[in-house]
Amino acid sequence: MKKAARLLATLCLSIGLLPLSAGAAEVFPQKGKVIRIITPLAPGGSSDIQARAIANRLSQELGTPVVVENKPGASTAIAVRELMRSPADGYTLLYTITVTTSQLPHLYAKPPFDVFKDMAPVGVVSRTRTILVATKDAPYSTLKEMIAYAKANPGKVNYGSYGIGSSGHINGELLKANAGIDIVHVPYKGSTEAVRDLLGGQIQLVFDGPSTAIANAKGGLVKILGVADKERLPSIPDVPTLTEAGVSGIDLPGLEQFFAPAGTPTEIVDKLNAAIMKTARTPEVTELFVRGGSTMATSTPAEHARMMKEDSDQWGVVIRKLGIRME
């Protein structure tokens, strides 16, 4: 009798727990509880602008506050560590770029995190690329002219990036190798600082995010030398790709993507994915992304994981070729 009673109690407990698990996603998010979107870049850059546009609309979609927190530094690792320290409950997300998932893991002998184990893919929002810009007072206006100048003045042309191992750094080293020029890398803590010094004339080149590169070019603050992609951007159709401008092999796009902490319940990840993808497809958000030089590429969590793996494999080949390493 006692054994039967214990079995009955266990069965009742198990049955009682089933609605709680299924109901976890139904009560997410709790109204008024803040959802944080961590971004690894400084305020004012392309990814920050995108994250805030999504956050504003996502707050309306989910009926609860959504805020953006900037955690720049360490080639996005600081932001990733913040995500990994956060509860796996759906209230902390990371909006990050290819540096995190496809570049940084190949730069360290012992990477500070495992993107396939420490982070849960929520969805890809867009594909983006960098744009090579020069200071408005540069003595060149095209890529070919810049290469000729750099060859005539070895070591006198500097290019800035938002950190060692960033897309700007890797693309800068690709430019250096593929064009056969001697240019000097100047790393910054964020794209905002790099662009500030470009505008001030302290450095001469930056592989910048498309939103700020296009805006600064339209304002006459920089010269665009080329787009690091296989195709021209619809928002600036007269600007050639770097291949068209004379240097091939600098054309890998990046991913703009959302992650949750590893272990976040599938039901919550799916609910976040649905809300984020719906937000990304709204006309105002899509227009902002496209106008800023991104290509919309919304996905499911499973598609995100596949795209991330493919992207990582491609960047891994490039990084090993260049021999870039971080301690």
Side-chain angles (χ1 to χ4, degrees), residues 47-113:
S47 292
D48 178 65
I49 292 170
Q50 293 172 353
R52 293 180 188 280
I54 290 174
N56 289 339
R57 185 76 187 193
L58 190 61
S59 178
Q60 300 173 36
E61 181 66 29
L62 292 174
T64 200
V66 180
V67 300
V68 174
E69 294 184 8
N70 301 88
K71 301 282 183 181
S75 295
T76 77
I78 290 175
V80 174
R81 292 191 187 101
E82 178 69 15
L83 181 78
M84 291 168 60
R85 286 193 294 264
S86 301
D89 57 6
Y91 291 95
T92 302
L93 298 172
L94 174 69
Y95 182 64
T96 192
I97 52 180
T98 288
V99 171
T100 302
T101 56
S102 304
Q103 296 170 355
L104 194 147
H106 298 287
L107 294 166
Y108 286 95
K110 294 182 179 180
F113 51 83

Side-chain angles (χ1 to χ4, degrees), residues 26-248:
E26 295 174 9
V27 299
F28 174 86
Q30 296 177 21
K31 190 172 182 179
K33 187 169 182 178
V34 176
I35 294 175
R36 296 191 302 155
I37 297 178
I38 301 167
T39 176
L41 303 178
S46 298
S47 292
D48 178 65
I49 292 170
Q50 293 172 353
R52 293 180 188 280
I54 290 174
N56 289 339
R57 185 76 187 193
L58 190 61
S59 178
Q60 300 173 36
E61 181 66 29
L62 292 174
T64 200
V66 180
V67 300
V68 174
E69 294 184 8
N70 301 88
K71 301 282 183 181
S75 295
T76 77
I78 290 175
V80 174
R81 292 191 187 101
E82 178 69 15
L83 181 78
M84 291 168 60
R85 286 193 294 264
S86 301
D89 57 6
Y91 291 95
T92 302
L93 298 172
L94 174 69
Y95 182 64
T96 192
I97 52 180
T98 288
V99 171
T100 302
T101 56
S102 304
Q103 296 170 355
L104 194 147
H106 298 287
L107 294 166
Y108 286 95
K110 294 182 179 180
F113 51 83
D114 186 330
V115 296
F116 299 102
K117 293 181 180 179
D118 298 329
M119 302 155 62
V122 174
V124 172
V125 174
S126 73
R127 287 191 175 275
T128 189
R129 68 282 295 155
T130 56
I131 296 176
L132 181 60
V133 295
T135 178
K136 65 182 179 65
D137 296 323
Y140 39 79
S141 298
T142 67
L143 182 64
K144 288 183 178 179
E145 290 174 356
M146 186 279 291
I147 291 171
Y149 180 86
K151 287 182 175 179
N153 299 274
K156 292 186 179 180
V157 176
N158 297 331
Y159 77 92
S161 78
Y162 58 84
I164 296 173
S166 65
S167 295
H169 178 205
I170 295 170
N171 281 342
E173 291 303 300
L174 275 172
L175 174 62
K176 182 176 178 179
N178 295 358
I181 55 178
D182 179 12
I183 55 178
V184 180
H185 178 222
V186 182
Y188 290 82
K189 290 184 178 180
S191 59
T192 303
E193 291 86 348
V195 172
R196 178 196 61 209
D197 276 8
L198 177 79
L199 299 181
Q202 284 77 35
I203 55 176
Q204 292 79 50
L205 301 170
V206 168
F207 275 95
D208 194 15
S211 295
T212 47
I214 293 170
N216 286 332
K218 288 182 176 179
L221 302 176
V222 299
K223 300 176 181 179
I224 295 183
L225 303 186
V227 177
D229 198 4
K230 291 180 173 62
E231 299 179 354
R232 296 190 181 197
L233 297 182
S235 52
I236 44 173
D238 295 333
V239 176
T241 66
L242 292 177
T243 298
E244 291 174 328
V247 181
S248 61

